[in-house]
Amino acid sequence: MDNNFIQRVLDENKELASLPQTMAEVIRTARDENSSAEQLARVMKRDPALTARVLRMVNSPFYGRSRQISSMTEAVVTIGMRQITALALSTSVYQMTDSWESGLDRVRFWRHSLEVAIAAQAIAEKAGYRNGEEVFAGGLLHDIGLLALEKSFPEQFGEVWNRAEREGHLTELENEYWGTDHAHVGQFLLEQWQLPESICTAVGRHHKVFGPEDKTPELIPCMIVNLAHLVSKFSISTELAISSAILVNKEILRNSLDIPSTDLLTVEKELFSRTMAEASYLEIDVGSIDDILLEANRMLFDQYVTVENLLRELRDLKSQVARYQTA
Ligand SMILES: [Fe+2]
Ligand SMILES: [Fe+2]
């Protein structure tokens, strides 16, 4: 990746490179080993809107806590400093980028991002990975590089996006135009914000195709966000999102993360209602019911086409085997 290029983009775009002041201080405090939970809570409370959003998140049904958490200190103590920071960051970035002019459909963008975040956290739970809130943040921010590229090169980005909608291969087109792609731009941006490495790397590799040989403990958060991305049904673009290659990649990641197929199915089944419920808690606009129904219809059609294609592939394979046997 050409870091100099991305650095130049960020240098010219101060709004992109800097986080809201409270958030930057939250990250600094959380990274300092000598900080206490009280200190972190105190820094966060300087921003009452942020405090309210984080408390709403930790009390949402998604977390299924039996007891109401009513203060920031209690939230930090119960959930942990790193995790609370990841949650605070997720909601801050949404608020920050909400005011940016964008040709990208923001409702689709955040609906997809939130779905990946929720899937990542649910997958983390099934895989026994403890830092669920970090993969949540990774999921929510995984496509942030798209917003960064669009903000920096609005016209070119429009061109790339329209071509990708017609031809697919978004990351290849991005590489053709800028010598880098939105996954790497996102990773670089989050590194500038000094986020935990696990979040940055997961964002940078969300389009990587993992093989069975990639099963290493350091790659677990990356694989979780990657699998969440494959499980997610709401896409930002309108191109067909499902293929047999995706099904194969999903299977490899599920095996590498040691998740039984019934568990992954449960995650997929619950994903839609969880995304909708969480959106209202986080005050993320994911669109009207009409919008969502239309999208659900399109997804059903996608799945129908995929099943048809898979059946065709299977038939071809069977006749090849039969020919081989009689030869
Ligand atoms: Fe992406
Ligand atoms: Fe994505």
Side-chain angles (χ1 to χ4, degrees):
M1 142 174 69
D2 182 358
N3 278 353
N4 291 337
F5 166 77
I6 310 176
Q7 183 64 63
R8 268 205 315 279
V9 169
L10 295 186
D11 284 346
E12 282 166 23
N13 232 316
K14 290 281 177 267
E15 212 184 336
L16 252 180
S18 59
L19 272 176
Q21 210 200 336
T22 314
M23 203 50 236
E25 226 169 300
V26 165
I27 293 175
R28 254 199 312 279
T29 314
R31 287 179 72 93
D32 182 350
E33 282 172 14
N34 301 317
S35 305
S36 63
E38 285 74 24
Q39 274 170 318
L40 182 65
R42 218 175 306 134
V43 174
M44 256 192 220
K45 280 193 284 193
R46 282 186 213 150
D47 184 339
L50 172 71
T51 306
R53 285 198 307 272
V54 170
L55 285 179
R56 250 197 323 268
M57 276 168 109
V58 297
N59 284 308
S60 83
F62 180 51
Y63 287 96
R65 292 185 210 283
S66 50
R67 208 166 51 79
Q68 180 90 1
I69 295 177
S70 52
S71 76
M72 196 43 120
T73 313
E74 199 186 344
V76 181
V77 171
T78 319
I79 292 163
M81 288 174 67
R82 282 171 65 138
Q83 278 81 352
I84 279 290
T85 307
L87 287 184
L89 181 92
S90 310
T91 126
S92 297
V93 172
Y94 174 73
Q95 299 293 324
M96 175 176 108
T97 57
D98 204 33
S99 58
W100 296 356
E101 285 276 313
S102 176
L104 259 186
D105 186 332
R106 285 308 179 86
V107 168
R108 293 184 83 98
F109 180 89
W110 287 110
R111 186 162 61 203
H112 166 68
S113 304
L114 181 62
E115 194 192 20
V116 174
I118 289 178
Q121 185 147 18
I123 290 169
E125 212 177 287
K126 302 287 185 199
Y129 179 71
R130 285 178 50 216
N131 296 329
E133 280 79 4
E134 281 188 14
V135 289
F136 178 93
L140 196 68
L141 303 176
H142 76 277
D143 274 331
I144 188 86
L146 285 176
L147 298 185
L149 281 170
E150 190 193 28
K151 190 161 171 50
S152 309
F153 310 100
E155 266 168 41
Q156 273 185 321
F157 184 85
E159 253 173 68
V160 170
W161 189 257
N162 290 337
R163 273 186 66 187
E165 289 269 50
R166 288 194 307 269
E167 308 161 18
H169 312 293
L170 172 66
T171 51
E172 282 171 33
L173 284 170
E174 289 170 333
N175 269 296
E176 201 182 287
Y177 275 68
W178 301 297
T180 186
D181 61 37
H182 69 273
H184 288 115
V185 173
Q187 175 176 4
F188 190 82
L189 184 63
L190 300 188
E191 281 168 359
Q192 301 297 296
W193 293 348
Q194 306 205 331
L195 292 199
E197 205 192 319
S198 65
I199 302 182
C200 304
T201 339
V203 167
R205 298 186 184 180
H206 75 269
H207 283 290
K208 176 180 157 60
V209 175
F210 284 94
E213 70 287 353
D214 291 317
K215 185 183 174 178
T216 57
E218 318 80 76
L219 283 179
I220 288 179
C222 293
M223 292 194 287
I224 291 175
V225 173
N226 214 290
L227 180 56
H229 202 234
L230 299 178
V231 158
S232 132
K233 303 286 186 291
F234 290 126
S235 88
I236 310 177
S237 76
T238 49
E239 63 168 313
L240 281 182
I242 308 164
S243 68
S244 53
I246 287 182
L247 298 181
V248 172
N249 296 340
K250 246 168 86 172
E251 206 45 25
I252 291 174
L253 287 166
R254 187 185 66 71
N255 275 316
S256 298
L257 291 165
D258 287 326
I259 301 173
S261 54
T262 44
D263 279 8
L264 191 62
L265 204 65
T266 311
V267 170
E268 296 196 55
K269 272 193 207 153
E270 292 173 354
L271 198 50
F272 177 78
S273 53
R274 278 186 159 192
T275 306
M276 293 303 121
E278 198 64 10
S280 62
Y281 267 87
L282 301 186
E283 294 178 353
I284 290 183
D285 182 9
V286 291
S288 69
I289 287 292
D290 282 353
D291 254 12
I292 293 166
L293 281 179
L294 214 72
E295 184 67 4
N297 237 330
R298 195 183 69 85
M299 293 185 311
L300 264 179
F301 181 72
D302 276 13
Q303 300 208 346
Y304 173 74
V305 172
T306 310
V307 171
E308 261 199 341
N309 285 338
L310 285 175
L311 284 174
R312 196 172 307 124
E313 276 175 31
L314 190 68
R315 251 193 333 263
D316 289 351
L317 222 66
K318 272 186 179 165
S319 59
Q320 268 179 33
V321 172
R323 268 203 308 276
Y324 179 75
Q325 281 170 342
T326 52

